[in-house]
Amino acid sequence: DMSMMFRSCYALTSLDVSGFDTSNVTDMNQMFSGCELIKKLDIHNFNLSNINEESNYIDGMEWIFMGCDSISEYIMPYNLGTDINREKNIMYMLMYMADCQWKDVTDGIIYDGKRYMVKVSDRIETDTRNSLKDSYSNSVYSEYVCCHILQICGYDAQNTILGQMIMDTKKHKDMIMPAVACENFIPEGYTLMEFKHMQNALSENTPGRIPKITEIYELLGNENAMFSKEFSEKALKQYWETFIFDAYFGNFDRHGNNWGYLISEIGEAKLAPIYDCGSCLYPQISDEAIPDILNNPAALELEDKTKVQYRNFINSLENKECTEALLKVYPIIQSKQKQINNFIDGVEGISDIRKEFYKTMLSERKTLILESAYYKAIALGYETEIENDTDAEYDEDSLVSDDMLEKY
């Protein structure tokens, strides 16, 4: 356990940890937090393979460099972790290091002057596989496609680039894997405050992995220690609009660590782009299983029974902010449907059968989850929030008809 090892060493100006053996370390939470005067840190020899993803509701790399304001050169670990914890380890290291010069960035690149974190598909363990599941997750495609669909719909989402990475594994040398590069969207002078960090700081109770709706309203919609009332209302609106898109994408993993806010050094808050969409679009389904699903879309679960039931919740119209988000987002999705399909068809690297699956699945979820709730709300007299868009190509069925009102 190396958590808090050098925390609050305010007067420390240099530190040599290059000889540390961290292969058995499970917790580095706040390890260097508050080391304000250190300018260079070399942790190239670090092995992060055993860092806990979550222990006592705290991830093993959380806040590791918080307050390290003087570091200008930082050498990345040679081992950034396993398929299970690598993504979060990189995220926590990047979070407080936006101004650094990077060296030996094993899973990061600089492209066109911007920093990107590179994600590759996770291997699906044999004991959790079935006839529908692939050997490797297709999460890189999900990340790329969904972020671009959000941008097509006019939303601020993380910029992503789809490509390939050559990797060596125990069984294969020079194995070519699909990869997605995700831009570091944290501006100079800002840090990313994830919602779970807010909960840890402001809530009396220990939060779980996925926030409950009551916990969302405890922090958003009203003034709190971090947000003004005006910004908190904007944050709540963004949450529900993201919720509608997650229902459309089939995202069952929007937990407290994959959405948040940008906080400046003087406490000013900005909405962060929507990011971390790798769990959307059923990423574990194999190409071989797709034809059977396309022939029988009902075989695909619309819901994760352990989490919120998108269809029941949205169609209940019980939550005012959720319904307002639906009335805004659904017409946008409908008006952009042709553009979304054309985009999917044009993505290189994705098989034709998977492209057809994406288009079919999105159409099914739009119709069965969003459309039914939308026309039900219209029939009950809710007012829509459609913005004028002279470039929008509306499908014929995107407008409200008497038949649709009668149907719902």
Side-chain angles (χ1 to χ4, degrees):
D1 185 348
M2 290 187 175
S3 62
M4 308 184 190
M5 178 175 283
F6 300 105
R7 188 179 73 166
S8 301
C9 293
Y10 303 118
L12 200 62
T13 58
S14 63
L15 185 62
D16 183 5
V17 293
S18 58
F20 279 28
D21 179 1
T22 65
S23 57
N24 293 317
V25 176
T26 59
D27 194 350
M28 293 184 183
N29 172 50
Q30 299 188 61
M31 183 174 179
F32 303 103
S33 176
C35 294
E36 298 177 348
L37 301 182
I38 293 178
K39 295 183 177 180
K40 179 179 178 180
L41 191 61
D42 179 359
I43 58 172
H44 175 67
N45 199 49
F46 276 27
N47 181 337
L48 307 182
S49 58
N50 281 310
I51 295 295
N52 286 336
E53 185 179 7
E54 189 172 274
S55 177
N56 296 323
Y57 300 102
I58 300 293
D59 288 323
M61 294 287 287
E62 283 196 54
W63 303 302
I64 183 170
F65 299 123
M66 184 172 65
C68 297
D69 299 330
S70 298
I71 292 182
S72 58
E73 185 175 311
Y74 169 66
I75 303 181
M76 292 279 277
Y78 81 95
N79 187 329
L80 290 164
T82 65
D83 289 344
I84 297 174
N85 65 9
R86 182 189 301 114
E87 181 178 322
K88 282 191 175 181
N89 290 344
I90 296 171
M91 178 185 69
Y92 287 124
M93 286 187 289
L94 288 173
M95 188 179 299
Y96 298 101
M97 292 297 186
D99 301 326
C100 289
Q101 296 296 317
W102 301 84
K103 293 188 176 181
D104 295 341
V105 185
T106 306
D107 282 56
I109 60 173
I110 296 177
Y111 176 75
D112 198 21
K114 299 176 181 178
R115 294 190 180 93
Y116 289 80
M117 177 175 66
V118 179
K119 300 180 182 180
V120 295
S121 296
D122 294 335
R123 182 171 179 80
I124 300 173
E125 298 300 326
T126 306
D127 57 358
T128 64
R129 266 185 248 157
N130 57 37
S131 59
L132 290 177
K133 290 185 177 181
D134 213 337
S135 298
Y136 284 85
S137 161
N138 294 282
S139 58
V140 296
Y141 299 137
S142 301
E143 191 89 55
Y144 178 78
V145 169
C146 290
C147 283
H148 278 74
I149 291 176
L150 284 161
Q151 291 173 343
I152 288 171
C153 291
Y155 280 76
D156 186 17
Q158 187 174 34
N159 292 323
T160 55
I161 303 171
L162 191 61
Q164 295 178 330
M165 179 178 285
I166 300 175
M167 302 178 64
D168 290 338
T169 68
K170 292 180 179 179
K171 295 184 178 180
H172 303 282
K173 182 175 176 59
D174 294 336
M175 183 177 181
I176 298 177
M177 295 287 293
V180 61
C182 303
E183 184 183 348
N184 179 6
F185 54 75
I186 305 173
E188 182 178 352
Y190 282 79
T191 58
L192 177 65
M193 173 67 71
E194 296 170 341
F195 185 79
K196 185 176 176 182
H197 292 175
M198 286 183 58
Q199 286 186 291
N200 287 331
L202 301 179
S203 297
E204 296 181 0
N205 301 320
T206 302
R209 184 172 183 269
I210 297 179
K212 299 176 182 177
I213 292 176
T214 53
E215 295 172 339
I216 301 293
Y217 279 94
E218 285 178 4
L219 299 182
L220 302 184
N222 298 293
E223 184 177 2
N224 59 48
M226 294 183 181
F227 295 163
S228 66
K229 187 176 190 302
E230 181 182 4
F231 181 82
S232 191
E233 289 174 349
K234 287 174 60 178
L236 183 63
K237 183 177 181 181
Q238 184 199 48
Y239 169 80
W240 283 114
E241 290 176 15
T242 303
F243 182 89
I244 298 299
F245 275 106
D246 281 342
Y248 175 52
F249 294 146
N251 185 1
F252 303 118
D253 197 34
R254 185 66 67 186
H255 52 77
N257 283 119
N258 59 16
W259 54 287
Y261 309 96
L262 299 169
I263 310 297
S264 74
E265 295 171 349
I266 60 174
E268 292 180 346
K270 297 170 60 175
L271 296 175
I274 302 172
Y275 63 96
D276 205 350
C277 298
S279 297
C280 303
L281 304 178
Y282 303 87
Q284 295 187 348
I285 289 178
S286 66
D287 280 10
E288 291 74 18
I290 288 175
D292 289 338
I293 295 172
L294 291 176
N295 291 330
N296 180 23
L300 194 64
E301 288 282 356
L302 277 175
E303 309 286 3
D304 181 334
K305 298 299 189 295
T306 65
K307 307 221 176 105
V308 64
Q309 302 291 295
Y310 283 123
R311 188 177 186 179
N312 293 342
F313 185 85
I314 294 172
N315 274 267
S316 74
L317 306 181
E318 292 178 356
N319 184 284
K320 176 177 176 289
E321 289 78 17
C322 180
T323 302
E324 289 174 349
L326 169 71
L327 292 171
K328 178 181 179 181
V329 172
Y330 172 79
I332 296 174
I333 292 174
Q334 185 72 343
S335 71
K336 300 293 185 181
Q337 196 62 59
K338 291 180 181 178
Q339 192 174 343
I340 290 170
N341 288 342
N342 289 339
F343 162 73
I344 293 172
D345 285 335
V347 177
E348 296 183 2
I350 301 179
S351 66
D352 290 341
I353 192 70
R354 185 166 297 277
K355 291 177 181 179
E356 194 62 33
F357 169 68
Y358 286 166
K359 291 185 293 182
T360 301
M361 187 273 290
L362 289 172
S363 177
E364 289 288 318
R365 295 189 68 86
K366 176 174 70 71
T367 300
L368 297 176
I369 298 177
L370 302 185
E371 183 179 280
S372 59
Y374 176 80
Y375 286 113
K376 178 181 177 182
I378 295 298
L380 292 174
Y382 287 85
E383 294 184 0
T384 60
E385 189 181 329
I386 304 177
E387 299 178 358
N388 292 325
D389 185 352
T390 56
D391 296 326
E393 296 181 7
Y394 286 88
D395 295 333
E396 290 182 0
D397 61 350
S398 66
L399 302 176
V400 182
S401 67
D402 292 339
D403 290 341
M404 294 300 285
L405 292 178
E406 185 177 348
K407 177 180 177 182
Y408 294 107

